[in-house]
Amino acid sequence: MIDSARSHRLAFYVALAVAVSLAGCASPRPRPPVIEPAPPPPAASQVSPPPAAPPAHEPEQAPATYTVKRGDTLYQIALDHGLDYRELAAWNNIENVNVIHTGQQLVLGPPGGSAAVTTAPLVTAPPVTPSGSDARAPPSPPAASGRPNSPAFKTEPKAVKLPYSEQALVQLQHQPAAAPEARPMPAPAAAAPAPTPAPSVTAAASAPRQDSGRVPEIDDDSLGWIWPASGKVVAGFSESANLKGIDIAGKPGQPVVASAAGRVVYAGTGLRGYGKLIIVKHNNTFLSAYAHNREIDVKEGQQVAKGQKIAEMGDTDADQVMLHFEIRRLGKPVDPAKLLPPT
């Protein structure tokens, strides 16, 4: 009987221990509260400026063109447009200046206008930094380790780990929430220096154009024309009668001089009706022509001074000894009597 009573008590204690153990395992362990730290305020210095708009480019001006007509020569076309025939041939890839074809279209300027159009330097305005009130900073990149809650990137407070017991449970339930880890605030951004004023595009575009045939010390309107030869004017300028210059009568071999300083752009007999002809380019605006000479004393490309002898008067391709003299402004004939000094 005694052994039976002990057995019953032992079984009761074992059952009680198992029940207590199961009750403890069935109770869920509460997780410590987690508090998310507030993100730092955005910094104006971290804001990427808006991309600058690309500068506008003015379209290049295409050179004018001319369609070759029957009877035209390259020399005459160049003279009528105030050009050097060699440049005209180069712009149109003409190897033989004596061969052009009816209907052929010629450009009257360099392809692309590189020599005729002055291109201003590109001016790019500095980017504008927005004010701090309107700034929207991108999120800061993670540290060396990009995993959340890693040793290098903490976003949660550290949890307290205690062995399970009734006392530990009560302690955790009454423990105040842990404050988020403090982070240093970024230093305020220094004020950006004022942008340096950009050069004026208009001023750059108005720079004078350069030309190899231009005499630098001579202005368009003050060439100081002089008479190219002495003698009587036997034919005057007339637009209605298609008289493109004046005829000055003289003696064979009489000196013919440059009416103004410039560069010889033509010397030869390639223009029908002019005989032995010299054309001098004075600047970007004016040409002068000296026709019917007996002898030519200068070469193409040669620089000549005002009053320098360039030829001898003759009657080539004319019915009398004379000098046919023309002044052309941008290729168009003008009355020489209005530019030459009074006799």
Side-chain angles (χ1 to χ4, degrees):
M1 294 294 291
I2 296 175
D3 293 337
S4 176
R6 290 179 179 175
S7 298
H8 286 296
R9 284 196 300 272
L10 180 59
F12 172 76
Y13 291 139
V14 171
L16 180 60
V18 172
V20 171
S21 177
L22 292 176
C25 294
S27 300
R29 296 183 181 180
R31 296 178 61 84
V34 177
I35 300 178
E36 294 288 344
S45 61
Q46 297 178 352
V47 178
S48 299
H57 296 275
E58 294 184 359
E60 292 183 348
Q61 184 178 2
T65 59
Y66 175 82
T67 302
V68 178
K69 301 178 180 62
R70 186 175 181 179
D72 281 345
T73 64
L74 192 69
Y75 310 108
Q76 186 67 56
I77 295 171
L79 176 62
D80 290 344
H81 293 87
L83 303 173
D84 184 334
Y85 78 94
R86 293 168 298 180
E87 293 180 346
L88 182 59
W91 297 336
N92 292 276
N93 299 318
I94 297 175
E95 295 182 0
N96 189 346
V97 296
N98 296 311
V99 179
I100 56 176
H101 306 283
T102 302
Q104 182 177 356
Q105 192 173 57
L106 304 178
V107 294
L108 302 178
S114 58
V117 178
T118 302
T119 304
L122 298 180
V123 179
T124 304
V128 179
T129 303
S131 61
S133 60
D134 297 332
R136 295 293 184 270
S140 300
S145 173
R147 297 173 298 171
N149 207 26
S150 64
F153 188 84
K154 293 289 187 180
T155 60
E156 298 179 359
K158 183 182 294 184
V160 180
K161 296 183 179 180
L162 296 175
Y164 176 77
S165 66
E166 297 294 336
Q167 292 80 5
L169 178 59
V170 173
Q171 180 181 352
L172 289 174
Q173 291 176 346
H174 292 81
Q175 184 178 2
E181 183 179 353
R183 297 185 181 182
M185 295 295 293
T196 304
S200 171
V201 175
T202 304
S206 61
R209 300 171 183 173
Q210 301 296 327
D211 182 85
S212 58
R214 184 183 180 88
V215 182
E217 69 275 10
I218 296 178
D219 185 73
D220 288 354
D221 299 325
S222 58
L223 288 170
W225 302 93
I226 63 172
W227 284 83
S230 59
K232 181 181 179 180
V233 176
V234 294
F237 177 86
S238 173
E239 290 183 354
S240 58
N242 198 28
L243 298 176
K244 301 177 181 179
I246 59 174
D247 294 338
I248 304 172
K251 298 178 180 180
Q254 181 179 330
V256 175
V257 301
S259 187
R263 176 171 60 93
V264 178
V265 296
Y266 179 78
T269 58
L271 277 77
R272 184 172 58 251
Y274 284 88
K276 291 183 179 180
L277 172 68
I278 298 172
I279 300 175
V280 177
K281 182 175 183 179
H282 304 286
N283 49 38
N284 287 337
T285 306
F286 287 99
L287 298 175
S288 60
Y290 311 77
H292 306 308
N293 300 292
R294 184 178 75 176
E295 296 292 340
I296 294 176
D297 296 339
V298 291
K299 297 179 180 180
E300 292 181 2
Q302 179 179 341
Q303 294 284 343
V304 294
K306 179 170 64 175
Q308 177 181 340
K309 180 184 175 183
I310 58 175
E312 295 178 2
M313 192 179 294
D315 60 355
T316 56
D317 213 358
D319 55 4
Q320 70 177 89
V321 175
M322 64 178 181
L323 170 68
H324 175 75
F325 177 66
E326 296 181 7
I327 294 179
R328 299 204 175 204
R329 187 180 190 278
L330 299 176
K332 181 180 180 181
V334 296
D335 187 358
K338 295 182 178 179
L339 299 175
L340 295 173
T343 55

